[in-house]
Amino acid sequence: MKTIFEKENNTGICLTDEKEDLSFLDSAFLRSGKVGLPNVGELEVLRHYKELSDKNFCIEKGFYPLGSCTMKYNPKVNELAASLEGFVNLHPHTADENSQGSLKLMYLLQEALKRITGMDAVTLQPAAGAHGELTGMMVVKKYFEVKGEKRTKVIIPDSAHGTNPASAHMCGFEIISVKSNEKGQVDIEALKEVLDSEVAAIMMTNPNTLGIFEENVLEISKLMHENGSLLYYDGANFNAIMGYTNPKLMGFDVVHLNLHKTFATPHGGGGPGAGPVCVVEKLKEYLPTPVVKFDGEKYFKEYNLEHSIGHVRSFYGNFGVLVRAYSYILMMGENLKNATEDAVLNANYLKEKLKKYYDLPYDEPCMHEFVLSGERQKHNFGISTLNIAKRLMDSNTHPPTVYFPLIVHEAIMIEPTESETKAKLDEFIDTLISIAKECEDDSEKILSAPHTTPVKRVDETLAARHPDLCFKN
Ligand SMILES: *Cc1c(COP(=O)(O)O)cnc(C)c1O
């Protein structure tokens, strides 16, 4: 018998005075001494957390060109909307007749997303993009089950985000990878070779993760549909097309959106997201429930969909994120199109200015992001992309996404978003150029970077496998 919670532990915390038999627990996880809680007042606690938050990096502090993640500025009016008392204090079990405002918001958000994607029905339930992928692939799977067709394979381009194969695999599909051609796009001939009657779907991102628009998307959708297969659209890059085109026009059947990327709700650090899934008419009855409907008088939650895959999350999804996204959409209106325009313009500006100093494996006009390669720096000076990313941190800049997509060696994936001024973009260009020069004349400075951050180099494997969450100065 061992006691883990001593009564007289002077911390003010006493969870139990019973002596429990804990022999079933591994002794490595049992505390032997007293809990080391600090004895401090409110002011000390506040100072501690303020100091920690000052060490943090965020979009309000500096440029955040994290490719694929769309770290745009999240306008504060969205926070105001999400903190309205009527939203915040509503219990999720409140009856429909007493929660008309929140249901209306969800309904109108569904309608807005239908219009933006061109699709016919929406579920707001999934809590993130990857969760949307899982939901979408469950819909695809059930669709073929109900049709009585045995389709076991899903085709995924080799430039795809890792969550695509992971989601399809979790649904029990076999993954067939197709390679990209020299333009960084799906190789149609390679696609034709793997297309057969067992293919359920293709999962595509357009523009793809290289930031390049798939010119042959219409031909691909024709091929897939003629084969009786469906097309899944990974909407993580929606910021590149919003208002200009939509997945319906490209021939897609299922789409997820990342509200926390395109629709300006805060993300990063594992915070809540939202990955609504939008589908064409014939997949409407397969969506998870509830969906919100309107009968001309009242808004209500519909639980009866003929082939529904069931719930994918408790209640209605991350409601606070939905409020923020709706607030953003209302605030922007037709200007959503301008966001796309500026995001694409900013990315092309950076690409053109930087391509002299870093390799650009796919030299094509890009959409909202582009992928450089640090191969030249690695080959000539032994400086890897990781080192370049670390050095950028000394200029109050969040490093871009690195080593993704996998088909580019030493990848540096840059997505400026529409939020930045030309002055900020120019500053970033100067920084990257000076790092390229530093590779030649002062490589030690780069290899030992970052020099100005609260935490210097960490052993990333160790940090992932055995995280030490106690902050020490
Ligand atoms: C971010 C991203 C995802 C996954 O979305 P989460 O919301 O992070 O789960 C999928 N595909 C692409 C291309 C992405 O950039």
Side-chain angles (χ1 to χ4, degrees), residues 198-216:
E198 291 186 355
V199 172
I202 187 170
M203 294 180 89
M204 281 178 74
T205 313
N206 196 20
N208 61 31
T209 61
L210 294 164
I212 294 170
F213 194 86
E214 298 278 355
E215 290 164 13
N216 298 319

Side-chain angles (χ1 to χ4, degrees), residues 39 86 105 144 238 247 258 271 296 367 371 379 387 408 427 429:
N39 231 325
L105 180 135
F144 286 115
F238 217 85
N258 306 60
M367 298 295 286
V371 183
H379 181 258
N387 292 305
V408 173
E427 198 183 301
I429 291 164

